[in-house]
Amino acid sequence: MSKNTTISMPVIRRLPRYYRFLYDLKNNGISRISSGELSKRMRLTASQIRQDLNCFGGFGQQGAGYDVNQLYDEIGRILGIPEPTKAILVGAGNLGKAVANHINFETRGFRLVSVFDDAPGLIGQDLNGHIIRPTTELKTICEQSRPAMAILCIPKEAAPSIVDSLLACGIKGFWNFSHYDINYDHPDAIVENVHMSDSLMTLSYLMNND
Amino acid sequence: MSKNTTISMPVIRRLPRYYRFLYDLKNNGISRISSGELSKRMRLTASQIRQDLNCFGGFGQQGAGYDVNQLYDEIGRILGIPEPTKAILVGAGNLGKAVANHINFETRGFRLVSVFDDAPGLIGQDLNGHIIRPTTELKTICEQSRPAMAILCIPKEAAPSIVDSLLACGIKGFWNFSHYDINYDHPDAIVENVHMSDSLMTLSYLMNND
């Protein structure tokens, strides 16, 4: 499949959404869907859907709609799901625990290989089959298992020095819950920021301006 | 202040981000900032910033930049922060606990008034000063405290019937972690979906297509 190399972020951000909807269709035994029907479910226009999928080479046949299983597998492949990237979790407090327990990394393109936290009460505990280690062991563990991604569930103040260490250990990507603006200091790092409270404030706006 | 009533979602979604950056500036004792300098920090163009803020009536003076405290307070007011909306949490598992412990609702426009979960091991426990109640008490509690927003940290399968009950109890807005597409069944509900795993898959894409 030919790939357009200048794919815009909004298109990329819609891919996981397609993947989610296709997963549901698959699970409901639906094997073929038109862009019109997919558009109704996803509340995107049919032409938007065709445009999006064309960025990745197009998958549909004129008049026959999309093969759900094939499209699901293909988008999964584009997202890098079949060859999971090794990840570590830094910060095993409430949020880190929720992330580790709530997210099925394997079906999202990652494999959690190690968990770190410096709180004396947490070190040595088990989190989802991983022993929580102090960050003094970061370097050794990263040399052994060579993770490429770090999930940051630490306070903003602690983040800059941890990020420096992680970059030195070969970490390339960050799933960043910390509110520290990694790219301001490290423009080349691959960063996905999760600002849950931004979403909450957007809801506050919408409820106050309904 | 005059308010443009056709403000686009991308502009609305940037407001919490302005609010966050202004909070940091305030905390660092910076009382005035130009759109140029704000643009460097936020990685938006200066003209984008001026356009965004003009949607809400504009705050800057030509050549003098923005008054950080005034802009912070004004955006807070637009977001509805000073008059918090009452909220309930439904689902007090790992994710619900993390949300309750991790998010400072009061500074984000909401006040948590009650927590619900039907797991026998959770009912009666304390979560951040709130006793976890069974959902059979939803109606009574909602009649008493009249919350307008519900945070949904429940599995997708459990969500449709809970959402029906909540709408009947007068809930208008949902901070939805459940992956259930509320607006498909209830187009008028005000919904902010949090799909943490979409963000993770976007990161997977970016790391595989660097």
Side-chain angles (χ1 to χ4, degrees):
Chain A
M1 193 190 66
S2 74
K3 203 182 72 180
N4 183 332
T5 49
T6 56
I7 295 156
S8 75
M9 274 312 289
V11 178
I12 293 166
R13 289 202 177 282
R14 277 195 290 274
L15 280 182
R17 219 174 132 212
Y18 285 111
Y19 195 64
R20 241 186 316 116
F21 276 82
L22 288 163
Y23 178 81
D24 282 349
L25 293 173
K26 230 169 87 102
N27 265 16
N28 291 321
I30 297 167
S31 62
R32 196 160 274 283
I33 192 163
S34 66
S35 52
E37 195 160 341
L38 196 54
S39 93
K40 247 184 276 168
R41 290 184 187 246
M42 296 188 64
R43 289 190 295 282
L44 294 168
T45 66
S47 107
Q48 176 77 84
I49 289 177
R50 283 190 297 267
Q51 262 178 48
D52 282 356
L53 300 179
N54 273 340
C55 288
F56 299 94
F59 303 100
Q61 273 177 282
Q62 192 72 36
Y66 294 104
D67 179 318
V68 170
N69 286 297
Q70 192 196 335
L71 187 53
Y72 176 79
D73 289 344
E74 195 58 34
I75 292 183
R77 203 194 55 73
I78 292 168
L79 289 170
I81 312 288
E83 289 173 56
T85 301
K86 287 184 197 167
I88 58 173
L89 168 64
V90 186
N94 276 308
L95 182 64
K97 282 200 181 95
V99 166
N101 286 315
H102 183 71
I103 304 280
N104 184 345
F105 291 101
E106 296 282 340
T107 60
R108 267 77 184 176
F110 293 95
R111 187 156 61 83
L112 190 62
V113 295
S114 208
V115 177
F116 297 87
D117 200 300
D118 283 335
L122 290 176
I123 294 169
Q125 278 193 17
D126 179 283
L127 177 53
N128 254 7
H130 301 284
I131 297 197
I132 302 174
R133 301 168 188 276
T135 55
T136 48
E137 294 183 16
L138 259 180
K139 194 162 177 278
T140 319
I141 299 286
C142 287
E143 278 167 3
Q144 281 166 12
S145 47
R146 307 218 161 266
M149 191 274 264
I151 306 152
L152 289 192
C153 293
I154 53 177
K156 186 175 183 175
E157 306 71 46
S161 78
I162 287 282
V163 168
D164 286 346
S165 308
L166 290 169
L167 288 167
C169 288
I171 295 288
K172 302 261 176 283
F174 294 88
W175 200 29
N176 180 28
F177 289 77
S178 80
H179 291 300
Y180 162 53
D181 186 356
I182 297 174
N183 279 139
Y184 190 74
D185 293 328
H186 307 283
D188 293 335
I190 304 169
V191 182
E192 258 292 296
N193 294 304
V194 184
H195 292 298
M196 291 203 290
S197 49
D198 283 14
S199 151
L200 188 58
M201 286 191 274
T202 301
L203 179 59
S204 177
Y205 175 89
L206 295 174
M207 292 191 69
N208 282 286
N209 296 273
D210 189 21
Chain B
M1 193 191 64
S2 73
K3 203 182 71 180
N4 182 331
T5 49
T6 56
I7 296 156
S8 74
M9 274 312 290
V11 179
I12 293 167
R13 290 204 175 279
R14 277 195 290 274
L15 280 181
R17 219 175 132 209
Y18 285 111
Y19 196 64
R20 242 184 318 115
F21 276 84
L22 288 163
Y23 177 82
D24 283 348
L25 293 172
K26 232 168 87 103
N27 265 17
N28 291 321
I30 297 167
S31 61
R32 197 159 271 284
I33 193 162
S34 64
S35 52
E37 196 159 341
L38 196 53
S39 92
K40 246 183 278 169
R41 288 183 189 246
M42 294 188 63
R43 288 190 296 281
L44 294 169
T45 66
S47 107
Q48 176 78 84
I49 289 176
R50 283 189 299 266
Q51 264 179 48
D52 281 356
L53 300 179
N54 273 340
C55 289
F56 299 93
F59 304 98
Q61 273 177 282
Q62 192 73 35
Y66 294 104
D67 179 318
V68 170
N69 286 298
Q70 192 195 333
L71 187 53
Y72 176 79
D73 289 344
E74 194 58 33
I75 293 182
R77 204 193 55 72
I78 293 167
L79 289 170
I81 312 289
E83 289 173 58
T85 301
K86 287 184 196 166
I88 58 173
L89 168 65
V90 186
N94 277 308
L95 183 63
K97 282 200 181 94
V99 166
N101 287 314
H102 183 69
I103 304 280
N104 185 344
F105 291 100
E106 296 281 339
T107 61
R108 266 78 182 176
F110 293 95
R111 186 156 63 82
L112 191 61
V113 294
S114 209
V115 176
F116 298 87
D117 200 300
D118 284 334
L122 290 175
I123 294 169
Q125 278 194 19
D126 178 282
L127 178 53
N128 254 7
H130 300 283
I131 297 198
I132 301 174
R133 300 169 188 276
T135 55
T136 47
E137 295 182 17
L138 258 179
K139 194 162 175 276
T140 319
I141 300 286
C142 287
E143 276 166 5
Q144 282 166 13
S145 47
R146 308 219 161 265
M149 190 274 264
I151 306 153
L152 290 191
C153 293
I154 54 179
K156 186 176 182 176
E157 305 73 44
S161 77
I162 287 283
V163 168
D164 286 346
S165 309
L166 291 169
L167 287 167
C169 289
I171 295 288
K172 303 260 176 283
F174 295 88
W175 200 29
N176 180 27
F177 289 77
S178 79
H179 290 300
Y180 162 54
D181 186 356
I182 298 174
N183 279 141
Y184 190 74
D185 292 327
H186 308 284
D188 293 336
I190 304 170
V191 182
E192 258 292 297
N193 295 304
V194 184
H195 292 299
M196 291 204 289
S197 49
D198 282 15
S199 150
L200 188 58
M201 286 192 274
T202 302
L203 179 60
S204 177
Y205 176 88
L206 295 173
M207 292 189 70
N208 281 287
N209 294 273
D210 190 23

